[in-house]
């Protein structure tokens, strides 16, 4: 029952329409980018770029995005790492088109406010400082480093906590914006929607929102 398609720009779409309690619908969009060579040394700015997407667009501030999601009875989570960014949304049938449009705005029209960047940077630094005194965090970091034995700078390399501190301190807003401009696009991306929704309408909207968004790299 899953309807699969691929847009001309490369975005793969999978739609599974079915009745759900309360008419709920969940969608996830994964945007993949870069390769081993082009992403070398860019893990920190990649993380910051993904986290900045919800902090302001050309049409909405961070608070206005939150207010709009509340109005639409929706949840949206955006995250990312060196090789991809993910957007997950949950809403109800009648609000899916509006929430999808907001997700596209967040992905395609971020403005990277300087004040928000400084705040995000400080949040990351405080979190890492706290982890340095937590045995669980130290153990997890050691285990991840053991399981991912790649050279420093490789997108799969796992920083020590001290290295993470240094990386986030050194990261700049210009580098973060440049990463977004150099890599973000939907040419190697997947959109999946499951729940109570109109599959034909969703396919048409996906093409309108993301069909012209090509990856620069």
């Amino acid at each position: 029952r899953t309807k699969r398609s691929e847009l001309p720009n490369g975005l793969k779409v999978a739609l599974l329409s079915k009745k759900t309690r309360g008419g709920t619908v969940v969608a996830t969009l994964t945007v993949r980018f870069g390769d081993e060579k082009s992403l070398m040394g860019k893990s920190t700015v990649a993380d910051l770029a993904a986290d900045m997407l919800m902090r302001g667009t050309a049409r909405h501030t961070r608070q206005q995005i939150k207010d709009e999601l509340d109005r639409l009875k929706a949840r949206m989570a955006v995250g990312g790492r060196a090789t991809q960014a993910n957007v997950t949304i949950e809403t109800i049938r009648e609000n899916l088109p509006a929430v999808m449009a907001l997700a596209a705005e967040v992905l395609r029209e971020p403005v990277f406010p300087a004040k928000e960047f400084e705040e995000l940077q400080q949040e990351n630094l405080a979190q890492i400082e706290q982890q340095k005194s937590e045995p669980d965090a130290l153990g997890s970091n050691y285990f991840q480093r053991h399981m991912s034995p790649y050279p420093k700078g490789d997108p799969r390399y796992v920083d020590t906590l001290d290295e993470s501190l240094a990386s986030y301190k050194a990261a700049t807003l210009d580098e973060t914006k440049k990463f977004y401009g150099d890599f973000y696009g939907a040419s190697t991306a997947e959109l999946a929607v499951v729940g109570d929704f109109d599959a034909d309408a969703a396919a048409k909207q996906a093409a309108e929102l993301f069909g012209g968004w090509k990856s620069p790299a």
Side-chain angles (χ1 to χ4, degrees), residues 3-15 28-30 32 186-193 206 210:
K3 295 183 178 180
R4 301 179 185 274
S5 60
E6 184 171 331
L7 300 183
N9 67 334
L11 174 66
K12 295 177 181 178
V13 181
L15 308 172
T28 181
L29 176 66
T30 300
R32 305 183 191 281
S187 299
T188 312
E190 300 104 35
L191 171 68
V193 188
F210 303 109

Side-chain angles (χ1 to χ4, degrees), residues 113-128:
K115 185 177 179 181
E116 290 286 350
F117 179 80
E118 291 171 12
E119 186 178 312
L120 175 63
Q121 197 172 28
Q122 292 306 312
E123 287 174 5
N124 277 287
L125 292 172
Q127 184 180 22
I128 297 166

Side-chain angles (χ1 to χ4, degrees), residues 3-56:
K3 295 183 178 180
R4 301 179 185 274
S5 60
E6 184 171 331
L7 300 183
N9 67 334
L11 174 66
K12 295 177 181 178
V13 181
L15 308 172
L16 176 55
S17 180
K18 62 179 183 177
K19 292 296 180 184
T20 57
R21 183 180 296 177
T24 57
V25 55
V26 175
T28 181
L29 176 66
T30 300
V31 177
R32 305 183 191 281
F33 38 67
D35 56 27
E36 181 182 8
K37 187 176 179 181
S38 64
L39 294 171
M40 187 66 69
K42 293 183 168 64
S43 294
T44 300
V45 291
D47 176 58
L48 289 166
D51 287 346
M52 282 295 291
L53 297 179
M54 288 277 283
R55 291 179 175 245

